[in-house]
Amino acid sequence: MNSLWVGVDAGKQHHHAVAIDADGTRKLSRRVANDEASLVELVDTVGRIAMDGLVTWAVDLNSGGAAMLIAVLLARGEQVLYIPGRIVHHAAGGYRGDGKTDAKDAAIIADQARMRRDLQPMRVDDEISSELAILTSRRTDLMRDRTRAINRLRALLSMYFPALERALDISNVKGAIILLTGHQTPDGLRRVGHARLESWLRKNKAYNASGLAQLAFDAARSQHVRVPGQDAAGATVAKWAHHIRYLDREMAEVDRDIETRFRRHRKAAVIESMPGFGPLLGAELLAATGGDVSVFGTADRFAAVAGLAPVPRDSGRVSGNIHRPRRYDRRLLRTAYLSAQLSIRSCAESRIYYDRKRAEGKRHTQAVLALARRRSNVLWAMLRDDTPYRPGPKPAQPPPARAAA
């Protein structure tokens, strides 16, 4: 029986696998195609070399091109560790030679898996959490596309019609985007007139059509100079506005899909019982944790992965130097921060804790992070025990003062 550690440098079309024994001796080095048949053959070959010994696999990707590999390994009951690419990059400096090849990277991954004891085993996410991971990632892409489109539209509009750009809240008011799909230039707005513009906005279901038409018409009357290139710029603004409306429709559809799937998850009711969590933030939590917090081991580990547990950076006579960790899950941190910020408005206990931290001299961001750290312990216990959130007893009110005799 031989214990083997297999490191896999994952790629889109091919992977390179290197197996080493307890002494670090290389037992296998092979380039394999990223398809099921080739990967199954690799697993069988490693099993024959190990002769029923313990085999530990390690990969430098946990999604993307390594998804098929991980699925095959977990389906075969293999133990799989995840080593982030950043760790592999820094570890490479401690090995001989400056060259870089897939075989060398795979050997480094295998050797790190052999020596380290702090690597987390990979788990199989439940089906709903996997779907939510895809949908929330899609929603993030749509939000970023919408932000880029709005920034480009505003930059172009401010070039030839700055008065209208100042008057409209393009980022937050849907009616402003509706207006720009049909009317973009000052002379065009003056020709339409206030009454016809208001009627057109009502027909296109713009909220507060009268006030929006008044803002646009006042902006048009304040500018009579024609900027060179105005017609082409106006046509481009209209295309950007149509694109933003399309993105809004896509986001609404994705939001409905996310909410539908989130409601079907066994932990949905527990998560939503926590103040500050709704379907969207709950879905992001499930996507980041795979629907199971037990993989983190402890509540402190959960907080550390979320970037909520500060770490010391002491050196020499400098002590007590506390900072946020450099490596953490940004999705978990975002979910924890936003839910804590929302809970301040809806949960009396969160508000009391936030106010106490502010009274201690902490800034708003620091106070919200402190609240998020405290809430992470509660959330961990709720998900571990499958127990909904129960607010604590209200603080006792002091008795009324007696009137003077």
Side-chain angles (χ1 to χ4, degrees):
M1 294 176 58
N2 298 318
S3 294
L4 293 182
W5 288 263
V6 186
V8 182
D9 182 43
K12 293 180 180 179
Q13 298 181 352
H14 294 84
H15 309 308
H16 200 105
V18 171
I20 62 175
D21 61 13
D23 296 326
T25 304
R26 191 173 300 191
K27 297 295 184 180
L28 177 141
S29 180
R30 179 179 297 182
R31 187 170 185 257
V32 295
N34 187 20
D35 60 67
E36 184 177 358
S38 300
L39 295 173
V40 169
E41 181 184 356
L42 173 65
V43 176
D44 292 338
T45 301
V46 171
R48 287 192 296 269
I49 298 173
M51 294 184 296
D52 296 328
L54 179 64
V55 178
T56 302
W57 296 75
V59 295
D60 61 342
L61 292 176
N62 58 3
S63 60
M68 174 62 71
L69 169 67
I70 295 170
V72 169
L73 292 174
L74 294 179
R76 298 286 295 267
E78 301 288 339
Q79 181 181 10
V80 186
L81 303 178
Y82 169 55
I83 303 182
R86 179 177 177 177
I87 292 179
V88 178
H89 172 73
H90 288 293
Y95 290 83
R96 184 176 59 187
D98 293 331
K100 183 186 182 305
T101 64
D102 292 344
K104 180 180 179 180
D105 289 344
I108 293 173
I109 294 171
D111 200 38
Q112 289 295 303
R114 179 178 66 92
M115 295 187 297
R116 299 182 67 132
R117 298 294 180 267
D118 59 343
L119 300 175
Q120 289 293 320
M122 301 191 70
R123 82 279 186 181
V124 181
D125 294 347
D126 61 63
E127 185 69 18
I128 296 179
S129 296
S130 298
E131 292 177 347
L132 289 175
I134 295 172
L135 291 175
T136 53
S137 177
R138 169 64 175 159
R139 188 180 191 276
T140 300
D141 290 340
L142 290 172
M143 289 179 61
R144 290 171 178 171
D145 289 344
R146 186 179 189 274
T147 300
R148 283 192 293 266
I150 286 177
N151 289 340
R152 292 173 181 176
L153 184 150
R154 294 186 64 175
L156 192 57
L157 186 62
S158 65
M159 181 185 73
Y160 74 94
F161 199 174
L164 185 62
E165 193 274 332
R166 289 193 301 269
L168 299 180
D169 187 0
I170 298 173
S171 300
N172 303 310
V173 177
K174 183 179 178 181
I177 300 297
I178 295 174
L179 170 68
L180 292 174
T181 60
H183 306 279
Q184 310 86 24
T185 61
D187 48 355
L189 285 168
R190 288 194 299 269
R191 283 195 302 268
V192 171
H194 182 278
R196 289 172 59 192
L197 179 61
E198 180 179 343
S199 176
W200 183 87
L201 288 171
R202 291 186 188 279
K203 182 180 178 181
N204 286 273
K205 301 179 181 179
Y207 178 74
N208 190 20
S210 177
L212 189 61
Q214 189 63 52
L215 286 175
F217 196 65
D218 290 344
R221 288 191 299 180
S222 69
Q223 179 176 330
H224 294 270
V225 173
R226 182 180 177 84
V227 177
Q230 176 176 289
D231 292 339
T236 305
V237 164
K239 292 180 180 178
W240 279 121
H242 281 292
H243 182 58
I244 293 169
R245 293 203 67 188
Y246 163 76
L247 293 175
D248 287 339
R249 291 191 295 269
E250 283 282 298
M251 286 184 61
E253 182 178 347
V254 171
D255 287 349
R256 288 192 295 270
D257 290 343
I258 289 174
E259 183 171 358
T260 300
R261 284 170 170 79
F262 173 74
R263 301 286 186 201
R264 296 205 306 261
H265 198 276
R266 65 186 187 280
K267 298 288 187 180
V270 175
I271 294 173
E272 275 200 293
S273 69
M274 184 77 163
F277 274 99
L280 293 180
L281 284 179
E284 291 193 14
L285 176 65
L286 290 175
T289 61
D292 183 13
V293 297
S294 63
V295 70
F296 298 100
T298 64
D300 290 340
R301 175 63 180 168
F302 177 64
V305 173
L308 298 173
V311 296
R313 294 185 189 172
D314 298 342
S315 178
R317 289 181 290 179
V318 176
S319 62
N321 193 14
I322 303 297
H323 291 271
R324 182 186 299 174
R326 294 180 179 177
R327 297 187 295 273
Y328 56 89
D329 190 319
R330 296 183 182 276
R331 294 176 302 172
L332 274 179
L333 177 61
R334 178 180 180 276
T335 301
Y337 184 89
L338 291 180
S339 63
Q341 188 164 247
L342 290 171
S343 72
I344 296 172
R345 295 181 289 181
S346 59
C347 177
E349 294 165 318
S350 296
R351 185 74 204 190
I352 292 172
Y353 186 85
Y354 170 82
D355 289 341
R356 185 164 78 243
K357 291 300 175 182
R358 292 285 284 168
E360 294 173 1
K362 296 187 181 297
R363 300 189 302 272
H364 169 74
T365 302
Q366 294 173 322
V368 174
L369 285 172
L371 174 60
R373 174 64 181 93
R374 187 181 183 92
R375 282 163 48 90
S376 70
N377 289 344
V378 179
L379 183 61
W380 163 267
M382 289 168 51
L383 294 173
R384 180 197 60 193
D385 301 336
D386 201 17
T387 304
Y389 176 80
R390 292 191 297 268
K394 295 183 178 180
Q397 298 294 330
R402 295 182 178 180

